Amino acid sequence: MPTFGMEFVPNYPPKDLINYCKFAEDNGVNYLWITDHYNNRQVFEMLALIADKTTRIRLGTGITNTFTHSPADTATAIATLDEISDGRATCGIGPGDLSTLPKIGINVETPIARLIEAVGIMRQLWSGQPVSTPNNKIFKFDGAALAYKPKQKSIPVYIGAQGEKMIETAGKIGDGSLINASNPKDFQIAVPIIKKAAGDKKFDVAACVSISIDQDAKKAKGAVKPVVAFIAAGSPPPILQRHGLDTAKVATIKAALNKGDFKTAFGTVDDAMIEAFSVYGTPDDINAKIDNLTKIGVTQIVVGSPIGPDRYNSIRLIGKYVIK
């Protein structure tokens, strides 16, 4: 059986987010992953509030990046979260969101090199050692050190990945990966790359799956369409080709989203896109699709947006019928 995580976007009031997270913990979820984008509520402040209201569940960024935060900022934020949560912090980090970073004037250049340097620096800072990196190309530290240590001896680092080069990097430098995909075809490619790169070390292959669960499969399917529209619009051509999707329809969705024409965007989503980019249906449907992922080698299922048409009911269904 895989472990289960749940991803939340902090785009609703803090009290609501905290309540969702506490309800997820009460229903057996093992990990909470909170997304990090400049236009939503601040991820580390929200994680601190969630830590105060939970007791067991692991807490992580899902994901932060090396462009809006320096390795020193991320290291101390995660270490502080680890203290607050009594050793429950996990660091999810990746190359950054191509759909939001350019809007704040950031050119996403050399993402893999930045990530490798940043992860190495963070681990050294968490160990209590001074960090000097004169040979680095990007982050040149000169004797930097934290004035305290996190609660955990070793904070797990999960690498957010989608492309094959980043997936390979995740296997090499991470303790786990957060792969934003829902379809077995994607993991049939990703898992062998990760296993080869990770070698013999213990590694958690986490699938960030867009899930919509309800006792009414039709309602579940309807709830997933808006999320699928955004996923399709942001997917690179190789992903669209892999799933045999209509690129003209995807272009229509992308143009409509850019104009704020959500009716057209969501209405253009077809069944092929829904199958490629989501898992939806009744609890039995969800269990069958999750089984297909775990057989390939996925070890953590991260239940991502929309979760379902009624979030509380969907979390309850996941706890009762999926996590069991």
Side-chain angles (χ1 to χ4, degrees), residues 236-257:
I239 300 293
L240 302 178
Q241 292 166 10
R242 181 183 300 164
H243 295 286
L245 301 181
D246 187 328
T247 55
K249 283 186 177 181
V250 173
T252 298
I253 292 170
K254 192 170 184 177
L257 290 174

Side-chain angles (χ1 to χ4, degrees), residues 13 22 57 65 121 132 199 209 252:
K22 183 69 174 87
I57 202 164
N65 67 81
I121 287 169
S132 295
V209 184
T252 298

